[in-house]
Structures are given as structure tokens and as C-alpha cells.
Amino acid sequence: MSTHPSAVPVRAMLVLGTRPEAIKLAPVARQMAAGTQFEPIVVTTGQHREMLHQMLGMLCVDARIALDVMRSRQQLSDLTARLVRELGEVMREQRPDLVLVQGDTTTAMAGALAAFYEKIPVAHVEAGLRTGVVDNPFPEELNRCLISRMTRWHFAPTPAAARHLTDEGVAPEQVFTTGNTVVDNLLWVLAEGAGTSAFRTDAKRVLVTLHRRENQGERMRGMGRALTRLAARGDVEIVLPLHRSPAVREALLPELESHSGISLVEPLGYLDFAATLAECDLVLTDSGGIQEEAPSLSKPALVLRTTTERPEAVEAGAARLIGTDPEAIVVHAERLLDDPVEYRKMAGAGNPFGDGHAATRILAQLAEDFAADVPVGLTASGPYSTT
């Protein structure tokens, strides 16, 4: 049973290593810091070091501890081992009351595993996403399934994600449908009005993001060729923030760097990215998070993948899962660029991912459970119950 004194703030360690994790945990960290019920301890692992640290200050997130786990072209096994070891050391030093992880990165999986080893309860933000294909996306699908086996509080963004968890045997009283914190943060950032769009013309504006491991190599080169065909129309401006991954750059630069109509830019800070997204007409992406952000701003999204863990956007009609074939990319993109009726249908489909109050719901549940005599282990007599 929980014996945490109600007058003492709950020490909550938020573990993040990538830019998407920072974006989605920022609303939680900000609300914790603004109140008295929680003491946020933000730990960055440096999995996306350059992209991460340029934006934390802008998001009003204070990182107390910064690790440095990345090595050039290191294997996932090496990264995982280093993360578990170093996060375990930090947890033993800080002794938080709970650990929050977000999503499905290697940082999130290692953070949950390190907390499990230290018998610290885990809260999983954006829980329950599934494609049903264990290695697609790789390694994210396995990561999020493993995290669910180590989690006490499962904060699912949608009812469908919550059902995935209960179907897998998670106790219903440990699953909470909150909406997605990415909507919270996007609305906060746009209200700040501090970003600058990367678009420079009045042409039809297409925002593209590509980075998936499973798309790298010849598949990504084919996507690059599809983009050059779209740009050759002459009425399209394509902006592609180029991921820092050497494999992504090796695939895309030879195809795109000399083409007028395609602006290759360095990774945008989140404020600038939000402004660019708000100004675009169409999104082409293999990202996960943008499938949630685009519908929030009524931007049709073509998902350049063979599976998605966010089928709600597809089912709502706000996104289409079109695969990676270059011809299919051109056909679907031109249909939206040229058919106003089809475009309005997707743009007006609505946002299935929340109302901007997910962080409030997450903190309310955590505060309630720590204030009351309720189990905080995996189960009432679980491996890190405090009884």
C-alpha cells in the first residue's frame, strides 16, 4: 500500500532521450513544476542530444540530469546496455517515488527496465499503441510491448489503445484514457506564437519527414525520387527537415540536394516545426507523432509506412497509410493537391487524439493514487508494492 506522506511532494523522475519524448513529456513536466504535489526530476539520456537540448529551454523544461549515451553508429544492444546501467545508477542516487517514460524509444524501454530492477513504479505515457507486427516499426513495437509488462499506470491516448492493453491482460483499473500530450504541447506552442515557418513561397506547401530505420536505403531513395516528381510540377514547395542520421542523409541527399522546389533544411526547433506544420497544406511522413499533430491542425497526412500504431487517424479519415512505393506516393499526393473535394474531406475529418488536457488527467490520477492507500506496484502484491 502507498504510505507516501501527503504533505511531501512526490518525487517523479521523467526519463527522456529523444525530441518526441521531450515534446510529449513537456506538458507533464511543466504542470508538475507549477504545482506543489510533485517534484519533477527530468533526466535526459542524450539519445537525440543535438535536437533535444536546443528545445528544452523553449518548452520551459528544466533538465536536472543529463547523460551522454550516444556513440557513433553504435548497435542497439550497446545503447540499451549503457542506458540501463546509467539510468539504474541515477535512480539509486535519486530514489524517486515513480518513474515516467513516454512512448516506445530505447530510452523509454531502458528507463522502465531500470526502474523495474530498482523496484520503482513506472507510469507509461502514450501506452497501448500497437501495430501487431513485432519488428515493424523496429525496434519500437517490441519496446512498447515490453514497457507494458513493467508498468503500473498505463496512460493510453485513445480508447483503442486502452483496449489493446486490457486485451493483453492488463488490469482495467490500471489503464486510463487521457488523450495524447502531443496535442497539449502543440496548442501551447502555437499559443506562444514564437516559431518561424520554413516555407518561403505561396505555392502548394508540402511538409515531409523521413527517418525510419526500416525505410532507410533503397526504399528511402525511392521516396526521394517520388518527391522530385512532385516538385517538378512547378506549383509545389516541399520542405524536408533532414534528420541527422547518416543513413538518412546518404539516401536522400543525392536524390534531392540540387532540385529546385525542394528545400532541405537542418532539423527545425520545435517552435519552428510547429509553425511550419501550421502553414503547410499537406504532410508526407513516416513519423509517428506527426500522425497525431497533423489532424490537430486539420492537415491531411499521407503515412509512408506499411503499418501504423495510430490507426485512429486513418479510421477517422485524417490520414492515409499508403506504403512506400514511389508511384503510390505520387498518385496519392497529387490527388490531394489537385482535388479540392478530396482535400476538404481529409482536412475536416477531425482529431481523434485529444482535447489538450491529457497532462492534467495524468497528474490527477497519479496524485490521487499517491494520496490514497492504493497499491503502487504492478499488482496489489506485485514486485514493487510498498507493503
Side-chain angles (χ1 to χ4, degrees):
M1 306 294 285
S2 174
T3 57
H4 192 277
S6 59
V8 178
V10 175
R11 287 171 58 81
M13 180 173 288
L14 296 84
V15 177
L16 56 94
T18 67
R19 177 170 134 153
E21 287 171 301
I23 290 167
K24 294 183 178 183
L25 284 178
V28 179
R30 284 195 300 266
Q31 286 201 30
M32 283 184 173
T36 60
Q37 292 178 300
F38 296 91
E39 177 190 351
I41 306 166
V42 178
V43 179
T44 66
T45 67
Q47 193 176 337
H48 283 178
R49 182 171 51 194
E50 296 88 351
M51 289 190 286
L52 183 63
H53 288 284
Q54 69 179 348
M55 64 181 289
L56 283 175
M58 298 178 186
L59 295 178
C60 298
V61 174
D62 180 22
R64 185 180 300 187
I65 299 167
L67 305 179
D68 181 16
V69 301
M70 293 306 291
R71 304 293 183 269
S72 178
R73 295 185 183 265
Q74 71 181 334
Q75 298 297 313
L76 278 172
S77 54
D78 296 328
L79 172 61
T80 302
R82 187 172 287 114
L83 281 166
V84 174
R85 182 177 64 250
E86 296 194 22
L87 287 170
E89 291 175 358
V90 169
M91 291 174 192
R92 286 190 293 275
E93 292 169 359
Q94 297 291 323
R95 300 312 306 170
D97 297 305
L98 79 152
V99 169
L100 289 94
V101 299
Q102 186 280 325
D104 50 27
T105 68
T106 303
T107 283
M109 188 275 289
L113 183 58
F116 179 83
Y117 286 160
E118 300 301 322
K119 298 187 178 181
I120 303 167
V122 173
H124 187 196
V125 177
E126 197 180 67
L129 276 62
R130 298 290 187 270
T131 66
V133 182
V134 73
D135 61 350
N136 191 339
F138 177 87
E140 288 86 356
E141 178 73 3
L142 179 61
N143 284 345
R144 51 184 168 242
C145 292
L146 292 174
I147 293 169
S148 295
R149 304 300 299 169
M150 300 179 279
T151 292
R152 164 57 180 87
W153 293 274
H154 303 257
F155 294 117
T158 64
R163 285 194 298 273
H164 291 153
L165 293 162
T166 53
D167 288 347
E168 292 171 3
V170 177
E173 62 270 21
Q174 295 181 341
V175 179
F176 311 93
T177 303
T178 61
N180 200 304
T181 54
V182 74
V183 181
D184 300 29
N185 208 49
L186 182 62
L187 298 180
W188 180 85
V189 164
L190 291 176
E192 294 291 304
T196 301
S197 171
F199 288 105
R200 294 291 177 264
T201 74
D202 293 327
K204 297 176 180 179
R205 297 166 175 176
V206 179
L207 175 61
V208 180
T209 70
L210 296 170
H211 76 282
R212 285 281 173 198
R213 288 175 184 264
E214 63 268 23
N215 282 345
Q216 292 170 10
E218 180 55 37
R219 187 177 294 175
M220 193 167 287
R221 286 189 285 273
M223 294 178 182
R225 291 190 291 272
L227 296 178
T228 63
R229 288 176 58 186
L230 290 173
R233 290 165 46 107
D235 64 343
V236 171
E237 179 186 6
I238 295 173
V239 167
L240 195 163
L242 202 56
H243 198 276
R244 295 189 188 279
S245 163
V248 171
R249 294 184 175 225
E250 289 167 6
L252 291 178
L253 281 173
E255 303 290 341
L256 304 179
E257 60 184 341
S258 62
H259 202 290
S260 62
I262 300 177
S263 298
L264 299 177
V265 299
E266 290 301 311
L268 299 172
Y270 184 61
L271 301 184
D272 291 342
F273 183 83
T276 304
L277 178 62
E279 201 171 75
C280 81
D281 298 304
L282 175 64
V283 176
L284 275 64
T285 184
D286 66 2
S287 170
I290 298 175
Q291 296 176 53
E292 300 151 349
E293 293 169 314
S296 301
L297 301 180
S298 301
K299 307 298 181 181
L302 298 179
V303 182
L304 311 185
R305 293 166 56 176
T306 57
T307 63
T308 180
E309 62 278 28
R310 295 166 173 86
E312 295 90 345
V314 176
E315 292 163 2
R320 287 180 183 160
L321 186 68
I322 65 169
T324 60
D325 177 69
E327 186 64 30
I329 292 171
V330 173
V331 168
H332 282 276
E334 289 194 326
R335 184 178 302 161
L336 289 169
L337 292 170
D338 296 335
D339 186 338
V341 174
E342 190 73 11
Y343 183 90
R344 285 194 297 269
K345 181 180 177 181
M346 284 192 73
N351 176 22
F353 296 110
D355 58 4
H357 300 287
T360 298
R361 297 185 184 99
I362 289 168
L363 295 194
Q365 187 62 53
L366 291 173
E368 177 183 330
D369 285 353
F370 273 94
D373 287 334
V374 298
V376 297
L378 285 173
T379 63
S381 59
Y384 35 76
S385 172
T386 57
T387 56

